[in-house]
Amino acid sequence: MAESIQFDPQSSGAGDNTEHADEQSAAGLQSPASTHPSLEKSQAFDQAVGGYRTPRISPEEKLIACRSSTKSLSLSGSVFEQIQENDREYANQSYFMPCDEKEQTRLAVVHQCFTSMLSGQLSFQNIPRSAKRILDVGTGIGDWAIAVAERFPNAEVVATDITCFQPTDVPPNLFFEIDDAQEEWTYTEPFDFIHLRGLSGAFSNWAAVYKEAHKHLQVNGILELADFGVITTTQPIADSYLSIYNGACVSAAEKAGTTLGLDHMKKTLLESAGFSLAKTRTLDIPLGTWSSDPRKKLAGKMALISALEGLEATSLRLLTQHMDWKAEDVRDLCDKVQEELMRPGVQPTIPCQFMVARKLII
């Protein structure tokens, strides 16, 4: 069972990282403009992302930026034909999270939030300076992979996702690949470090994903997982819209054959795949700036922005496809949850869990 601790990046193990702290203290961090928690949500979002809005790239640029995995996914134009649904764009018919510009911007904020939680570090566990190959599964817009490739210029960094919307101007040692991690991994060389972050609900068979990760790690290689749980409030709200939202999304995910939250980060799943669990920590992140602890304010501000924008992103396809909701009803519920979370005194929080496992035997 994960140990719940107070927000303190130094106790997380990040301070033991072999990456130099002075190099990382400002890594990727841009302090957003001061945002009071009662500000209207879209204003807070625009202030926080600043210059981090992800530029749109054409299919031709994507063909240059991405390479196929060794499973030989064709890099034809059809790979990048995203599905338009309820005014959002999706990578395929099944994955519930969108991949449009709005979601790409949210993912940039999520990356900043994680970096803030780790005091400028890129990982909870140290990435050895001797690492030759690093894999980022479900890379999204690629912020983490880009930062790691810059920090480790002598390592080959491979970043995979089911679609390609990453930037084209990246370090020469970084390679984006179109790949579905639920299928068999066909890499011919093992990795020293494998990273999965923010993939709650992405896979129906996490056990198979972990087995593939174990298979493709070097002996003594490291697997690191990081994810957010569901939003709660420190002050209970009777018959809250948040509880309706959480319940509906959990039910929809179950119908879709997956789970939301942190169920995929169970110790037994990793041990069954052959891993030895090294450490696990859960950080309780305040959503907003209501915490009196100044260390929590920046992460909490960005976590709130990500959470508010993520309400629709998470629920729209799940509830319309699997619970027969109308899109306007989903958006109406999301608006009510947003209003509820922004009320003074509510003090919403979200758990963020980190897990580190090692491959000790072949």
Side-chain angles (χ1 to χ4, degrees):
M1 183 176 181
E3 175 190 356
S4 180
I5 62 173
Q6 295 299 311
F7 185 82
D8 185 358
Q10 295 307 315
S11 69
S12 73
D16 298 329
N17 202 311
T18 53
E19 305 170 41
H20 297 299
D22 57 347
E23 294 175 359
Q24 293 195 355
S25 58
L29 281 175
Q30 294 181 352
S31 297
S34 178
T35 306
H36 190 275
S38 64
L39 280 179
E40 196 272 329
K41 178 262 303 178
S42 61
Q43 178 186 355
F45 185 76
D46 288 339
Q47 286 179 336
V49 297
Y52 253 86
R53 293 197 176 275
T54 307
R56 302 285 284 178
I57 58 177
S58 68
E60 291 75 18
E61 290 175 307
K62 291 176 180 178
L63 287 169
I64 296 171
C66 293
R67 66 182 186 184
S68 67
S69 73
T70 50
K71 278 183 279 192
S72 299
L73 269 173
S74 171
L75 284 182
S76 63
S78 62
V79 172
F80 309 109
E81 292 177 3
Q82 295 163 347
I83 296 169
Q84 302 286 331
E85 190 177 296
N86 294 317
D87 297 321
R88 301 300 300 260
E89 294 178 8
Y90 296 87
N92 57 28
Q93 295 287 354
S94 57
Y95 186 45
F96 68 95
M97 293 297 289
C99 59
D100 48 24
E101 185 174 6
K102 187 175 181 180
E103 174 64 4
Q104 292 172 38
T105 304
R106 188 189 72 84
L107 290 174
V109 178
V110 170
H111 176 68
Q112 294 298 295
C113 183
F114 273 105
T115 308
S116 177
M117 283 189 286
L118 296 173
S119 295
Q121 305 277 359
L122 294 174
S123 56
F124 180 73
Q125 174 64 34
N126 64 295
I127 302 176
R129 281 292 177 186
S130 59
K132 295 180 179 179
R133 280 171 57 81
I134 299 170
L135 174 64
D136 185 28
V137 177
T139 192
I141 59 174
D143 276 355
W144 187 89
I146 292 169
V148 167
E150 292 173 342
R151 202 72 52 80
F152 294 86
N154 295 323
E156 179 182 28
V157 180
V158 179
T160 68
D161 211 304
I162 56 174
T163 190
C164 189
F165 47 72
Q166 299 82 23
T168 56
D169 184 16
V170 299
N173 58 321
L174 171 59
F175 303 94
F176 290 118
E177 293 187 353
I178 303 293
D179 202 7
D180 186 345
Q182 295 189 100
E183 299 178 6
E184 181 184 4
W185 299 9
T186 54
Y187 302 107
T188 57
E189 296 180 59
F191 294 92
D192 301 286
F193 191 95
I194 297 179
H195 178 257
L196 292 88
R197 186 179 77 183
L199 296 179
S200 175
F203 305 131
S204 59
N205 189 350
W206 276 94
V209 174
Y210 292 150
K211 286 180 180 178
E212 290 298 317
H214 187 271
K215 177 181 176 182
H216 290 275
L217 269 175
Q218 294 271 19
V219 174
N220 207 38
I222 299 168
L223 172 70
E224 177 166 310
L225 312 171
D227 226 320
F228 288 111
V230 298
I231 301 170
T232 60
T233 59
T234 58
Q235 303 297 323
I237 305 173
D239 302 319
S240 69
Y241 290 112
L242 177 62
S243 64
I244 296 172
Y245 174 90
N246 285 340
C249 288
V250 168
S251 296
E254 290 176 353
K255 286 190 175 183
T258 185
T259 58
L260 296 179
L262 299 171
D263 283 351
H264 63 291
M265 298 178 72
K266 291 179 178 178
K267 178 181 177 180
T268 52
L269 279 175
L270 290 164
E271 290 178 338
S272 296
F275 284 102
S276 175
L277 191 63
K279 55 185 174 181
T280 177
R281 293 288 187 274
T282 301
L283 307 177
D284 293 317
I285 310 301
L287 295 181
T289 58
W290 56 264
S291 173
S292 60
D293 187 340
R295 297 171 301 174
K296 298 181 180 181
K297 289 186 180 293
L298 179 58
K301 184 186 301 184
M302 289 185 288
L304 174 65
I305 295 163
S306 172
L308 295 180
E309 291 294 321
L311 289 171
E312 179 187 303
T314 300
S315 64
L316 186 58
R317 178 175 258 196
L318 280 176
L319 297 185
T320 55
Q321 278 197 354
H322 301 287
M323 302 294 283
D324 296 324
W325 286 38
K326 295 180 180 179
E328 56 265 33
D329 293 334
V330 177
R331 292 192 167 102
D332 180 64
L333 176 60
C334 290
D335 288 343
K336 290 175 178 176
V337 174
Q338 289 175 359
E339 186 277 328
E340 197 170 74
L341 294 177
M342 299 290 279
R343 290 178 192 169
V346 170
Q347 297 185 344
T349 65
I350 190 167
C352 180
Q353 187 170 350
F354 295 89
M355 294 189 77
V356 176
R358 288 185 180 272
K359 176 181 178 177
L360 299 183
I361 58 174
I362 297 176

mmCIF file of all heavy atoms in Angstrom, residues 106-147:
data_model
loop_
_atom_site.group_PDB
_atom_site.id
_atom_site.type_symbol
_atom_site.label_atom_id
_atom_site.label_comp_id
_atom_site.label_asym_id
_atom_site.label_seq_id
_atom_site.Cartn_x
_atom_site.Cartn_y
_atom_site.Cartn_z
ATOM 1 N N ARG A 106 -3.122 21.428 -22.349
ATOM 2 C CA ARG A 106 -3.292 20.894 -20.993
ATOM 3 C C ARG A 106 -2.117 19.995 -20.619
ATOM 4 O O ARG A 106 -1.612 20.040 -19.488
ATOM 5 C CB ARG A 106 -4.605 20.110 -20.887
ATOM 6 C CG ARG A 106 -4.946 19.674 -19.462
ATOM 7 C CD ARG A 106 -6.126 18.724 -19.422
ATOM 8 N NE ARG A 106 -5.760 17.412 -19.931
ATOM 9 C CZ ARG A 106 -5.176 16.459 -19.207
ATOM 10 N NH1 ARG A 106 -4.891 16.672 -17.927
ATOM 11 N NH2 ARG A 106 -4.886 15.297 -19.747
ATOM 12 N N LEU A 107 -1.657 19.177 -21.555
ATOM 13 C CA LEU A 107 -0.534 18.281 -21.276
ATOM 14 C C LEU A 107 0.744 19.063 -20.974
ATOM 15 O O LEU A 107 1.574 18.622 -20.174
ATOM 16 C CB LEU A 107 -0.307 17.331 -22.462
ATOM 17 C CG LEU A 107 -1.383 16.258 -22.672
ATOM 18 C CD1 LEU A 107 -1.108 15.475 -23.954
ATOM 19 C CD2 LEU A 107 -1.464 15.320 -21.475
ATOM 20 N N ALA A 108 0.913 20.215 -21.608
ATOM 21 C CA ALA A 108 2.070 21.054 -21.301
ATOM 22 C C ALA A 108 2.022 21.532 -19.858
ATOM 23 O O ALA A 108 3.044 21.584 -19.163
ATOM 24 C CB ALA A 108 2.120 22.251 -22.260
ATOM 25 N N VAL A 109 0.812 21.864 -19.375
ATOM 26 C CA VAL A 109 0.651 22.289 -17.986
ATOM 27 C C VAL A 109 0.907 21.113 -17.044
ATOM 28 O O VAL A 109 1.524 21.269 -15.981
ATOM 29 C CB VAL A 109 -0.753 22.884 -17.762
ATOM 30 C CG1 VAL A 109 -0.947 23.273 -16.299
ATOM 31 C CG2 VAL A 109 -0.967 24.103 -18.653
ATOM 32 N N VAL A 110 0.436 19.921 -17.424
ATOM 33 C CA VAL A 110 0.673 18.726 -16.604
ATOM 34 C C VAL A 110 2.171 18.490 -16.432
ATOM 35 O O VAL A 110 2.644 18.178 -15.332
ATOM 36 C CB VAL A 110 0.007 17.490 -17.237
ATOM 37 C CG1 VAL A 110 0.453 16.204 -16.530
ATOM 38 C CG2 VAL A 110 -1.511 17.611 -17.174
ATOM 39 N N HIS A 111 2.928 18.644 -17.504
ATOM 40 C CA HIS A 111 4.380 18.454 -17.410
ATOM 41 C C HIS A 111 4.986 19.451 -16.433
ATOM 42 O O HIS A 111 5.846 19.092 -15.610
ATOM 43 C CB HIS A 111 5.018 18.614 -18.783
ATOM 44 C CG HIS A 111 6.518 18.537 -18.761
ATOM 45 N ND1 HIS A 111 7.200 17.381 -18.479
ATOM 46 C CD2 HIS A 111 7.469 19.492 -18.952
ATOM 47 C CE1 HIS A 111 8.507 17.601 -18.509
ATOM 48 N NE2 HIS A 111 8.688 18.886 -18.787
ATOM 49 N N GLN A 112 4.546 20.690 -16.503
ATOM 50 C CA GLN A 112 5.049 21.705 -15.575
ATOM 51 C C GLN A 112 4.681 21.361 -14.128
ATOM 52 O O GLN A 112 5.460 21.578 -13.209
ATOM 53 C CB GLN A 112 4.471 23.067 -15.950
ATOM 54 C CG GLN A 112 4.942 23.597 -17.290
ATOM 55 C CD GLN A 112 6.444 23.806 -17.328
ATOM 56 O OE1 GLN A 112 6.973 24.649 -16.616
ATOM 57 N NE2 GLN A 112 7.122 23.048 -18.150
ATOM 58 N N CYS A 113 3.497 20.811 -13.952
ATOM 59 C CA CYS A 113 3.049 20.428 -12.613
ATOM 60 C C CYS A 113 3.948 19.335 -12.033
ATOM 61 O O CYS A 113 4.391 19.423 -10.887
ATOM 62 C CB CYS A 113 1.600 19.958 -12.667
ATOM 63 S SG CYS A 113 0.903 19.529 -11.059
ATOM 64 N N PHE A 114 4.241 18.318 -12.825
ATOM 65 C CA PHE A 114 5.115 17.250 -12.349
ATOM 66 C C PHE A 114 6.519 17.779 -12.052
ATOM 67 O O PHE A 114 7.129 17.415 -11.045
ATOM 68 C CB PHE A 114 5.202 16.125 -13.387
ATOM 69 C CG PHE A 114 4.121 15.095 -13.257
ATOM 70 C CD1 PHE A 114 3.064 15.063 -14.149
ATOM 71 C CD2 PHE A 114 4.161 14.150 -12.247
ATOM 72 C CE1 PHE A 114 2.061 14.119 -14.031
ATOM 73 C CE2 PHE A 114 3.166 13.188 -12.121
ATOM 74 C CZ PHE A 114 2.110 13.174 -13.016
ATOM 75 N N THR A 115 7.024 18.636 -12.915
ATOM 76 C CA THR A 115 8.359 19.185 -12.700
ATOM 77 C C THR A 115 8.407 19.998 -11.414
ATOM 78 O O THR A 115 9.377 19.950 -10.655
ATOM 79 C CB THR A 115 8.778 20.058 -13.897
ATOM 80 O OG1 THR A 115 8.618 19.323 -15.107
ATOM 81 C CG2 THR A 115 10.242 20.473 -13.782
ATOM 82 N N SER A 116 7.332 20.741 -11.148
ATOM 83 C CA SER A 116 7.265 21.516 -9.915
ATOM 84 C C SER A 116 7.218 20.605 -8.695
ATOM 85 O O SER A 116 7.897 20.854 -7.700
ATOM 86 C CB SER A 116 6.030 22.426 -9.949
ATOM 87 O OG SER A 116 5.881 23.136 -8.752
ATOM 88 N N MET A 117 6.422 19.541 -8.772
ATOM 89 C CA MET A 117 6.327 18.611 -7.648
ATOM 90 C C MET A 117 7.675 17.986 -7.312
ATOM 91 O O MET A 117 7.965 17.676 -6.157
ATOM 92 C CB MET A 117 5.317 17.505 -7.961
ATOM 93 C CG MET A 117 3.871 17.927 -7.838
ATOM 94 S SD MET A 117 2.752 16.515 -7.964
ATOM 95 C CE MET A 117 2.843 16.152 -9.701
ATOM 96 N N LEU A 118 8.496 17.801 -8.328
ATOM 97 C CA LEU A 118 9.795 17.157 -8.143
ATOM 98 C C LEU A 118 10.935 18.167 -8.021
ATOM 99 O O LEU A 118 12.095 17.829 -8.245
ATOM 100 C CB LEU A 118 10.065 16.187 -9.304
ATOM 101 C CG LEU A 118 9.099 14.996 -9.392
ATOM 102 C CD1 LEU A 118 9.338 14.204 -10.675
ATOM 103 C CD2 LEU A 118 9.238 14.093 -8.177
ATOM 104 N N SER A 119 10.600 19.400 -7.680
ATOM 105 C CA SER A 119 11.607 20.448 -7.463
ATOM 106 C C SER A 119 12.558 20.601 -8.646
ATOM 107 O O SER A 119 13.761 20.764 -8.487
ATOM 108 C CB SER A 119 12.407 20.149 -6.183
ATOM 109 O OG SER A 119 11.582 20.210 -5.054
ATOM 110 N N GLY A 120 12.001 20.558 -9.842
ATOM 111 C CA GLY A 120 12.812 20.731 -11.041
ATOM 112 C C GLY A 120 13.389 19.452 -11.592
ATOM 113 O O GLY A 120 13.965 19.462 -12.674
ATOM 114 N N GLN A 121 13.266 18.356 -10.874
ATOM 115 C CA GLN A 121 13.747 17.072 -11.379
ATOM 116 C C GLN A 121 12.799 16.564 -12.455
ATOM 117 O O GLN A 121 11.632 16.944 -12.530
ATOM 118 C CB GLN A 121 13.823 16.054 -10.233
ATOM 119 C CG GLN A 121 14.654 16.485 -9.034
ATOM 120 C CD GLN A 121 16.139 16.221 -9.239
ATOM 121 O OE1 GLN A 121 16.551 15.704 -10.260
ATOM 122 N NE2 GLN A 121 16.940 16.565 -8.260
ATOM 123 N N LEU A 122 13.284 15.662 -13.285
ATOM 124 C CA LEU A 122 12.453 15.069 -14.326
ATOM 125 C C LEU A 122 11.904 13.709 -13.930
ATOM 126 O O LEU A 122 11.012 13.193 -14.591
ATOM 127 C CB LEU A 122 13.259 14.941 -15.628
ATOM 128 C CG LEU A 122 13.662 16.268 -16.269
ATOM 129 C CD1 LEU A 122 14.584 16.024 -17.456
ATOM 130 C CD2 LEU A 122 12.425 17.043 -16.705
ATOM 131 N N SER A 123 12.457 13.133 -12.876
ATOM 132 C CA SER A 123 12.009 11.807 -12.470
ATOM 133 C C SER A 123 12.065 11.687 -10.956
ATOM 134 O O SER A 123 12.838 12.368 -10.288
ATOM 135 C CB SER A 123 12.863 10.712 -13.120
ATOM 136 O OG SER A 123 14.230 10.891 -12.817
ATOM 137 N N PHE A 124 11.248 10.809 -10.442
ATOM 138 C CA PHE A 124 11.219 10.540 -9.012
ATOM 139 C C PHE A 124 12.463 9.759 -8.600
ATOM 140 O O PHE A 124 13.073 10.006 -7.571
ATOM 141 C CB PHE A 124 9.948 9.748 -8.702
ATOM 142 C CG PHE A 124 9.768 9.381 -7.262
ATOM 143 C CD1 PHE A 124 9.426 10.336 -6.319
ATOM 144 C CD2 PHE A 124 9.919 8.072 -6.843
ATOM 145 C CE1 PHE A 124 9.240 9.996 -4.993
ATOM 146 C CE2 PHE A 124 9.742 7.722 -5.519
ATOM 147 C CZ PHE A 124 9.405 8.680 -4.596
ATOM 148 N N GLN A 125 12.838 8.800 -9.429
ATOM 149 C CA GLN A 125 14.039 7.990 -9.213
ATOM 150 C C GLN A 125 15.151 8.496 -10.118
ATOM 151 O O GLN A 125 14.893 8.995 -11.214
ATOM 152 C CB GLN A 125 13.743 6.520 -9.516
ATOM 153 C CG GLN A 125 14.949 5.590 -9.473
ATOM 154 C CD GLN A 125 15.569 5.513 -8.084
ATOM 155 O OE1 GLN A 125 14.851 5.591 -7.086
ATOM 156 N NE2 GLN A 125 16.868 5.372 -8.015
ATOM 157 N N ASN A 126 16.377 8.357 -9.670
ATOM 158 C CA ASN A 126 17.491 8.821 -10.491
ATOM 159 C C ASN A 126 17.573 8.045 -11.801
ATOM 160 O O ASN A 126 17.356 6.834 -11.859
ATOM 161 C CB ASN A 126 18.819 8.675 -9.742
ATOM 162 C CG ASN A 126 19.154 7.222 -9.440
ATOM 163 O OD1 ASN A 126 18.445 6.569 -8.691
ATOM 164 N ND2 ASN A 126 20.234 6.717 -10.020
ATOM 165 N N ILE A 127 17.866 8.774 -12.866
ATOM 166 C CA ILE A 127 18.214 8.150 -14.139
ATOM 167 C C ILE A 127 19.737 8.091 -14.176
ATOM 168 O O ILE A 127 20.402 9.119 -14.121
ATOM 169 C CB ILE A 127 17.695 8.970 -15.335
ATOM 170 C CG1 ILE A 127 16.174 9.131 -15.252
ATOM 171 C CG2 ILE A 127 18.097 8.306 -16.648
ATOM 172 C CD1 ILE A 127 15.600 10.015 -16.343
ATOM 173 N N PRO A 128 20.317 6.900 -14.237
ATOM 174 C CA PRO A 128 21.781 6.807 -14.203
ATOM 175 C C PRO A 128 22.430 7.583 -15.344
ATOM 176 O O PRO A 128 21.941 7.574 -16.476
ATOM 177 C CB PRO A 128 22.036 5.299 -14.350
ATOM 178 C CG PRO A 128 20.773 4.648 -13.909
ATOM 179 C CD PRO A 128 19.678 5.581 -14.319
ATOM 180 N N ARG A 129 23.507 8.256 -15.036
ATOM 181 C CA ARG A 129 24.235 8.989 -16.076
ATOM 182 C C ARG A 129 24.773 8.055 -17.155
ATOM 183 O O ARG A 129 25.048 8.465 -18.274
ATOM 184 C CB ARG A 129 25.392 9.777 -15.446
ATOM 185 C CG ARG A 129 24.958 11.070 -14.785
ATOM 186 C CD ARG A 129 24.494 12.069 -15.818
ATOM 187 N NE ARG A 129 24.006 13.304 -15.202
ATOM 188 C CZ ARG A 129 23.438 14.280 -15.887
ATOM 189 N NH1 ARG A 129 23.255 14.151 -17.171
ATOM 190 N NH2 ARG A 129 23.023 15.365 -15.272
ATOM 191 N N SER A 130 24.905 6.786 -16.808
ATOM 192 C CA SER A 130 25.415 5.811 -17.763
ATOM 193 C C SER A 130 24.335 5.263 -18.689
ATOM 194 O O SER A 130 24.621 4.447 -19.567
ATOM 195 C CB SER A 130 26.052 4.633 -17.016
ATOM 196 O OG SER A 130 25.091 4.011 -16.162
ATOM 197 N N ALA A 131 23.090 5.718 -18.518
ATOM 198 C CA ALA A 131 21.980 5.195 -19.317
ATOM 199 C C ALA A 131 22.232 5.400 -20.807
ATOM 200 O O ALA A 131 22.580 6.499 -21.246
ATOM 201 C CB ALA A 131 20.679 5.866 -18.899
ATOM 202 N N LYS A 132 22.065 4.328 -21.558
ATOM 203 C CA LYS A 132 22.272 4.393 -23.002
ATOM 204 C C LYS A 132 20.960 4.457 -23.769
ATOM 205 O O LYS A 132 20.913 5.006 -24.869
ATOM 206 C CB LYS A 132 23.076 3.182 -23.466
ATOM 207 C CG LYS A 132 24.493 3.141 -22.924
ATOM 208 C CD LYS A 132 25.235 1.909 -23.431
ATOM 209 C CE LYS A 132 26.668 1.866 -22.901
ATOM 210 N NZ LYS A 132 27.403 0.661 -23.361
ATOM 211 N N ARG A 133 19.906 3.848 -23.190
ATOM 212 C CA ARG A 133 18.610 3.850 -23.866
ATOM 213 C C ARG A 133 17.503 4.116 -22.838
ATOM 214 O O ARG A 133 17.445 3.477 -21.789
ATOM 215 C CB ARG A 133 18.365 2.515 -24.580
ATOM 216 C CG ARG A 133 19.100 2.435 -25.925
ATOM 217 C CD ARG A 133 19.035 1.039 -26.523
ATOM 218 N NE ARG A 133 17.690 0.529 -26.727
ATOM 219 C CZ ARG A 133 16.901 0.818 -27.762
ATOM 220 N NH1 ARG A 133 17.332 1.684 -28.684
ATOM 221 N NH2 ARG A 133 15.707 0.278 -27.882
ATOM 222 N N ILE A 134 16.640 5.085 -23.181
ATOM 223 C CA ILE A 134 15.539 5.506 -22.307
ATOM 224 C C ILE A 134 14.258 5.480 -23.137
ATOM 225 O O ILE A 134 14.233 5.948 -24.281
ATOM 226 C CB ILE A 134 15.797 6.922 -21.756
ATOM 227 C CG1 ILE A 134 17.078 6.946 -20.921
ATOM 228 C CG2 ILE A 134 14.606 7.411 -20.933
ATOM 229 C CD1 ILE A 134 17.549 8.344 -20.535
ATOM 230 N N LEU A 135 13.180 4.942 -22.554
ATOM 231 C CA LEU A 135 11.903 4.822 -23.254
ATOM 232 C C LEU A 135 10.825 5.580 -22.498
ATOM 233 O O LEU A 135 10.666 5.410 -21.284
ATOM 234 C CB LEU A 135 11.505 3.349 -23.384
ATOM 235 C CG LEU A 135 10.114 3.055 -23.978
ATOM 236 C CD1 LEU A 135 10.029 3.532 -25.425
ATOM 237 C CD2 LEU A 135 9.803 1.560 -23.881
ATOM 238 N N ASP A 136 10.070 6.411 -23.213
ATOM 239 C CA ASP A 136 8.928 7.124 -22.646
ATOM 240 C C ASP A 136 7.672 6.617 -23.339
ATOM 241 O O ASP A 136 7.459 6.869 -24.535
ATOM 242 C CB ASP A 136 9.086 8.629 -22.854
ATOM 243 C CG ASP A 136 7.993 9.441 -22.181
ATOM 244 O OD1 ASP A 136 7.459 8.962 -21.159
ATOM 245 O OD2 ASP A 136 7.684 10.554 -22.658
ATOM 246 N N VAL A 137 6.843 5.871 -22.615
ATOM 247 C CA VAL A 137 5.629 5.269 -23.176
ATOM 248 C C VAL A 137 4.456 6.213 -22.974
ATOM 249 O O VAL A 137 4.218 6.703 -21.876
ATOM 250 C CB VAL A 137 5.346 3.911 -22.502
ATOM 251 C CG1 VAL A 137 4.044 3.319 -23.039
ATOM 252 C CG2 VAL A 137 6.500 2.949 -22.724
ATOM 253 N N GLY A 138 3.698 6.466 -24.040
ATOM 254 C CA GLY A 138 2.588 7.407 -23.951
ATOM 255 C C GLY A 138 3.094 8.817 -23.770
ATOM 256 O O GLY A 138 2.674 9.540 -22.870
ATOM 257 N N THR A 139 3.967 9.236 -24.651
ATOM 258 C CA THR A 139 4.714 10.486 -24.470
ATOM 259 C C THR A 139 3.873 11.741 -24.606
ATOM 260 O O THR A 139 4.259 12.809 -24.135
ATOM 261 C CB THR A 139 5.891 10.548 -25.453
ATOM 262 O OG1 THR A 139 6.763 11.613 -25.099
ATOM 263 C CG2 THR A 139 5.415 10.730 -26.892
ATOM 264 N N GLY A 140 2.693 11.643 -25.253
ATOM 265 C CA GLY A 140 1.878 12.841 -25.442
ATOM 266 C C GLY A 140 2.577 13.850 -26.326
ATOM 267 O O GLY A 140 3.049 13.530 -27.416
ATOM 268 N N ILE A 141 2.696 15.085 -25.864
ATOM 269 C CA ILE A 141 3.357 16.127 -26.654
ATOM 270 C C ILE A 141 4.876 16.024 -26.575
ATOM 271 O O ILE A 141 5.586 16.781 -27.242
ATOM 272 C CB ILE A 141 2.903 17.531 -26.238
ATOM 273 C CG1 ILE A 141 3.210 17.790 -24.765
ATOM 274 C CG2 ILE A 141 1.430 17.725 -26.522
ATOM 275 C CD1 ILE A 141 2.919 19.211 -24.324
ATOM 276 N N GLY A 142 5.386 15.124 -25.740
ATOM 277 C CA GLY A 142 6.820 14.850 -25.734
ATOM 278 C C GLY A 142 7.669 15.735 -24.855
ATOM 279 O O GLY A 142 8.898 15.682 -24.929
ATOM 280 N N ASP A 143 7.055 16.536 -23.974
ATOM 281 C CA ASP A 143 7.841 17.453 -23.144
ATOM 282 C C ASP A 143 8.869 16.716 -22.290
ATOM 283 O O ASP A 143 10.021 17.149 -22.177
ATOM 284 C CB ASP A 143 6.917 18.266 -22.232
ATOM 285 C CG ASP A 143 6.336 19.483 -22.926
ATOM 286 O OD1 ASP A 143 6.729 19.742 -24.076
ATOM 287 O OD2 ASP A 143 5.486 20.175 -22.318
ATOM 288 N N TRP A 144 8.442 15.626 -21.646
ATOM 289 C CA TRP A 144 9.365 14.885 -20.782
ATOM 290 C C TRP A 144 10.496 14.285 -21.607
ATOM 291 O O TRP A 144 11.675 14.384 -21.225
ATOM 292 C CB TRP A 144 8.616 13.774 -20.030
ATOM 293 C CG TRP A 144 9.455 13.080 -19.004
ATOM 294 C CD1 TRP A 144 9.614 13.435 -17.693
ATOM 295 C CD2 TRP A 144 10.275 11.901 -19.188
ATOM 296 N NE1 TRP A 144 10.468 12.549 -17.052
ATOM 297 C CE2 TRP A 144 10.885 11.605 -17.950
ATOM 298 C CE3 TRP A 144 10.526 11.071 -20.275
ATOM 299 C CZ2 TRP A 144 11.750 10.510 -17.775
ATOM 300 C CZ3 TRP A 144 11.391 9.982 -20.108
ATOM 301 C CH2 TRP A 144 11.989 9.717 -18.867
ATOM 302 N N ALA A 145 10.165 13.682 -22.728
ATOM 303 C CA ALA A 145 11.184 13.042 -23.560
ATOM 304 C C ALA A 145 12.189 14.058 -24.096
ATOM 305 O O ALA A 145 13.397 13.789 -24.152
ATOM 306 C CB ALA A 145 10.519 12.297 -24.721
ATOM 307 N N ILE A 146 11.710 15.226 -24.478
ATOM 308 C CA ILE A 146 12.601 16.267 -24.982
ATOM 309 C C ILE A 146 13.571 16.712 -23.896
ATOM 310 O O ILE A 146 14.781 16.840 -24.119
ATOM 311 C CB ILE A 146 11.787 17.466 -25.517
ATOM 312 C CG1 ILE A 146 11.015 17.065 -26.780
ATOM 313 C CG2 ILE A 146 12.699 18.659 -25.807
ATOM 314 C CD1 ILE A 146 9.986 18.085 -27.219
ATOM 315 N N ALA A 147 13.043 16.949 -22.693
ATOM 316 C CA ALA A 147 13.888 17.389 -21.578
ATOM 317 C C ALA A 147 14.920 16.328 -21.221
ATOM 318 O O ALA A 147 16.087 16.648 -20.940
ATOM 319 C CB ALA A 147 13.027 17.720 -20.364
#
